[in-house]
Amino acid sequence: MAIKKHIPNTITCCNLVSGCVAIAYAFSGNIELSFTWIIIGAVFDFFDGMSARLLNVSSPIGKELDSLADVITFGVAPSTILFSELSVMSYPSILEPLRPILPFTAYIIAAFSALRLAKFNLDERQALGFIGLPTPANALFWGSLIIGAGKWLEATPFMVFFLLGGILISSWLMVSEIPMFALKFKEWGWKGNQVKYIFLLTCIPLLVIFGIAALAIIIAWYVIISYIIKK
C-alpha cells in the first residue's frame, strides 16, 4: 500500500526529469532529441494522472508536483528550444545589435506556462475542456515548428519577427479565456462528437503531407476550431 501511493508521483518525477534532459539537449543544439524528450515527458504526464485515478491515490501534493513538472517539460524546455533557434538564425541588420538579448525573450513562454498552470489548478471550469491553450500543446507547437521549418526560419532574416510575434501570441493564448475542446469521448457515436471527429480526420492528411511539422499546423488548427466554436 505504501508503494502504491507513490507510483503517480514517481511517474510525475519522470516527467520532470524528461524535461530536464530536453533542456540539456536544447542548449547543446540537438533540437530533435530535445523534442523527443518533451514527447516522452508528455507520455509520463498522461500516465501519472491516469495511475492516480486507477489506484485511487490522488493527493494535493501530486497536483502541485504535476504542475511543477509541467513547467519544466512544457514551459522551460520549449523555451530553450526557441532560445537556441533565436541564437543561430539570421537577423535583419536593424536587429543585429540586439542579437545577444533577443533570444532570452523565448523565456516569456516559460513564465506564461507557469502562470497558466497556476491558473489551471484554481479553475474549476476545466473538468471537460480547457480554458486557454494547454501547455503541452504549446510545447508541441514550438518543438515541431523549429524542427520542421528550422532551416527555412534560419535562412530568412525577417522570420525573427514571426517568432517574436509567435511568442507573444502563444503566451497570450495560454492564459486567455478562449474555451478549447478536449479530445475526451464519453461515447463513440457521431452525435455530440462531430467537432472531435472532424478535427481528427483533418489531422491525418496533414501528418502525411508535412510530417513532424504538421504538429505545429495541427495545434494552430485546434486553436482556430476552438475559436470558431466559441463564436
Side-chain angles (χ1 to χ4, degrees):
M1 187 68 179
I3 294 175
K4 185 176 78 170
K5 71 178 183 179
H6 293 299
I7 290 175
N9 288 347
T10 301
I11 298 174
T12 301
C13 288
C14 289
N15 172 18
L16 191 151
V17 171
S18 298
C20 293
V21 176
I23 292 167
Y25 276 120
F27 273 128
S28 67
N30 196 330
I31 305 304
E32 289 80 7
L33 268 177
S34 176
F35 188 52
T36 299
W37 278 98
I38 289 176
I39 294 173
I40 292 171
V43 173
F44 284 125
D45 185 51
F46 175 80
F47 282 107
D48 64 359
M50 177 184 288
S51 64
R53 290 188 293 271
L54 288 174
L55 297 172
N56 195 27
V57 290
S58 298
S59 65
I61 191 172
K63 185 177 181 181
E64 300 303 323
L65 181 62
D66 183 65
S67 292
L68 292 171
D70 287 354
V71 169
I72 299 297
T73 305
F74 308 125
V76 181
S79 294
T80 307
I81 288 177
L82 194 50
F83 171 87
S84 296
E85 181 66 18
L86 286 167
S87 298
V88 299
M89 67 188 302
S90 299
Y91 280 36
S93 57
I94 191 172
L95 290 182
E96 194 60 43
L98 298 176
R99 177 178 288 277
I101 300 171
L102 281 180
F104 290 99
T105 59
Y107 289 100
I108 293 173
I109 290 174
F112 274 84
S113 296
L115 184 60
R116 179 200 159 62
L117 289 161
K119 179 183 176 184
F120 183 86
N121 280 353
L122 300 174
D123 196 335
E124 298 179 355
R125 298 173 296 167
Q126 306 195 58
L128 298 176
F130 302 105
I131 306 296
L133 182 66
T135 52
N138 187 60
L140 290 175
F141 172 84
W142 284 110
S144 61
L145 178 68
I146 301 303
I147 291 174
K151 291 182 180 179
W152 178 61
L153 292 171
E154 293 166 13
T156 310
F158 285 94
M159 279 296 102
V160 67
F161 292 108
F162 169 76
L163 291 184
L164 293 174
I167 289 170
L168 297 178
I169 292 170
S170 68
S171 295
W172 171 75
L173 283 172
M174 283 191 287
V175 296
S176 71
E177 290 294 309
I178 300 174
M180 306 273 180
F181 67 93
L183 290 172
K184 296 178 181 178
F185 291 85
K186 289 186 175 180
E187 300 176 351
W188 296 105
W190 174 261
K191 187 176 181 180
N193 293 316
Q194 297 95 321
V195 172
K196 299 171 188 176
Y197 279 124
I198 290 171
F199 173 73
L200 291 173
L201 289 171
T202 54
C203 289
I204 296 171
L206 290 173
L207 287 167
V208 172
I209 295 169
F210 297 103
I212 189 68
L215 290 175
I217 301 171
I218 288 169
I219 299 301
W221 178 226
Y222 168 74
V223 172
I224 291 169
I225 292 179
S226 297
Y227 184 76
I228 292 172
I229 294 171
K230 178 193 175 187
K231 289 296 183 182

